[in-house]
Amino acid sequence: MTRLIFLGAPGAGKGTQAQRLSAESQVPHISTGDILRTAVAKQTDLGKKAAHYMNAGELVPDDLILDLIRERLGQADATNGWILDGFPRNVSQANFLDGLLEEIQQPCDFVLNLDVPDEVLVTRLLSRGRQDDTEAVIRNRLAVYREQTEPLIDFYRGRQQLVSVNGNQPMDAVTAELKRVIAA
Ligand code: AP5
């Protein structure tokens, strides 16, 4: 059983590593960013509401995200584990998730924080070139991360679940370190 939450700044490698561990452990990789980008591409109601926040590098309002997570974690493929990437993103999402995981009796095993210096993050994202990877939007995403998401490191630190890993090393080295952590 694998139930993991990835924390880390934009470009820290959450998606990359979550995808690798998901393939290895056969549990779904649940990325709120990917879910939202699909909704934007399909021009669903959710996508229409979310697009302008995403393009500005702001968080999408919680009321657009919370039901989506409840529904996704309730799907059949998530009963035996999951890897969350991009959720929770602020303290109110983390409190919501606490309540939800208790309700569905699926405690999280580890909160994995990927640590990467800002300038490395900016370089990585500029060379990726997603729609929200322009320099101004990246700087705002980093500011939003510092203000709203980084406090989750302390939120989880007290619970013996948080493990910080150096994300500023080759992808395979990061994966190997993460695998060591979750096998412990
Ligand atoms: P989201 O999709 O979650 O984006 P993000 O947090 O900004 O993260 P990224 O996808 O940019 O980075 P990552 O850490 O996953 O790194 P990756 O593996 O891709 O969110 C986008 C937007 O959606 C938000 O701004 C917000 O508007 C909205 N949103 C999403 N969730 C929300 C929520 N819960 N609440 C409210 N709003 C929400 O890697 C990045 C690049 O680096 C890639 O090119 C990769 O190949 C490369 N790379 C990765 N690892 C390494 C390595 N070790 N060495 C060298 N290069 C590497």
Side-chain angles (χ1 to χ4, degrees):
M1 199 83 71
T2 306
R3 295 191 185 107
L4 306 173
I5 296 171
F6 268 99
L7 288 182
K14 304 180 294 296
T16 303
Q17 297 299 333
Q19 206 167 16
R20 288 172 170 218
L21 296 185
S22 158
E24 181 113 353
S25 54
Q26 306 279 301
V27 299
H29 165 208
I30 300 176
S31 156
T32 43
D34 286 349
I35 294 170
L36 290 168
R37 277 184 290 280
T38 303
V40 171
K42 290 187 175 164
Q43 298 193 299
T44 63
D45 280 352
L46 170 65
K48 286 179 192 158
K49 288 178 187 154
H52 120 95
Y53 297 98
M54 297 173 77
N55 289 336
E58 296 290 330
L59 294 186
V60 165
D62 288 352
D63 62 347
L64 297 182
I65 297 283
L66 301 183
D67 287 347
L68 180 158
I69 283 291
R70 175 183 287 281
E71 193 193 318
R72 185 64 188 88
L73 288 184
Q75 286 173 6
D77 67 338
T79 50
N80 289 324
W82 33 259
I83 301 177
L84 286 179
D85 157 20
F87 186 93
R89 209 57 167 246
N90 58 29
V91 171
S92 81
Q93 292 184 8
N95 280 320
F96 169 87
L97 184 63
D98 270 356
L100 177 62
L101 296 185
E102 205 175 306
E103 190 186 314
I104 62 178
Q105 300 186 327
Q106 294 192 14
C108 156
D109 303 321
F110 290 102
V111 179
L112 301 166
N113 178 50
L114 295 176
D115 218 359
V116 178
D118 276 10
E119 291 322 306
V120 176
L121 298 170
V122 174
T123 307
R124 281 185 190 176
L125 294 177
L126 284 175
S127 55
R128 179 176 63 180
R130 204 168 70 192
Q131 188 166 347
D132 57 347
D133 287 339
T134 62
E135 178 130 22
V137 176
I138 291 168
R139 295 281 172 201
N140 194 40
R141 282 161 63 202
L142 285 172
V144 168
Y145 166 77
R146 296 279 170 237
E147 190 190 320
Q148 301 197 47
T149 311
E150 203 172 46
L152 295 183
I153 294 175
D154 280 342
F155 181 97
Y156 286 115
R157 202 191 306 272
R159 306 186 185 184
Q160 327 294 327
Q161 286 172 311
L162 181 94
V163 181
S164 272
V165 165
N166 176 11
N168 188 22
Q169 29 176 0
M171 289 180 196
D172 288 349
V174 179
T175 309
E177 203 169 327
L178 290 168
K179 281 163 71 174
R180 272 197 298 279
V181 168
I182 61 180

